[in-house]
Amino acid sequence: MAYLRLKKQADFQKLFQKGKRVYTPSFTLLYKPSKQTTFGISLGKKHGKSVVRNRVKRLLREAFRAALPNMQGTYSLV
């Protein structure tokens, strides 16, 4: 199963406004049921310089890609 990446600001805003949130000490996950599985990452500057933030994003994308076959249903995730 493949997924699409969220890239547009409008797509992120829809999730921030209408999505449900799950909190952990490390990060917050926003999700909303959708027709197609989509995934985006929003990371603030408080998490380090750009090199660190880009590494975190790469690791999160890979973790999501590995977990995708076990995921049931289709969601939009940030």
Side-chain angles (χ1 to χ4, degrees), residues 47-75:
H47 296 286
K49 298 201 179 271
S50 62
V51 174
V52 175
R53 292 193 308 267
N54 288 334
R55 176 156 172 78
V56 169
K57 289 192 274 189
R58 284 194 306 270
L59 291 171
L60 285 173
R61 279 190 209 106
E62 179 59 25
F64 180 74
R65 188 196 62 76
L68 190 59
N70 299 328
M71 197 168 107
Q72 296 178 1
T74 56
Y75 295 94

Side-chain angles (χ1 to χ4, degrees), residues 3-71:
Y3 73 93
L4 299 173
R5 285 180 53 188
L6 289 175
K7 293 182 181 179
K8 295 185 179 179
Q9 182 70 21
D11 296 335
F12 277 93
Q13 287 301 321
K14 286 179 189 175
L15 270 174
F16 278 110
Q17 291 172 357
K18 298 182 181 179
K20 296 187 180 193
R21 296 174 189 250
V22 176
Y23 298 98
T24 68
S26 302
F27 62 92
T28 302
L29 175 71
L30 286 94
Y31 67 95
K32 184 176 109 173
S34 67
K35 295 178 184 175
Q36 222 172 4
T37 300
T38 57
F39 181 68
I41 299 171
S42 176
L43 200 62
K45 287 188 176 184
K46 73 177 183 178
H47 296 286
K49 298 201 179 271
S50 62
V51 174
V52 175
R53 292 193 308 267
N54 288 334
R55 176 156 172 78
V56 169
K57 289 192 274 189
R58 284 194 306 270
L59 291 171
L60 285 173
R61 279 190 209 106
E62 179 59 25
F64 180 74
R65 188 196 62 76
L68 190 59
N70 299 328
M71 197 168 107

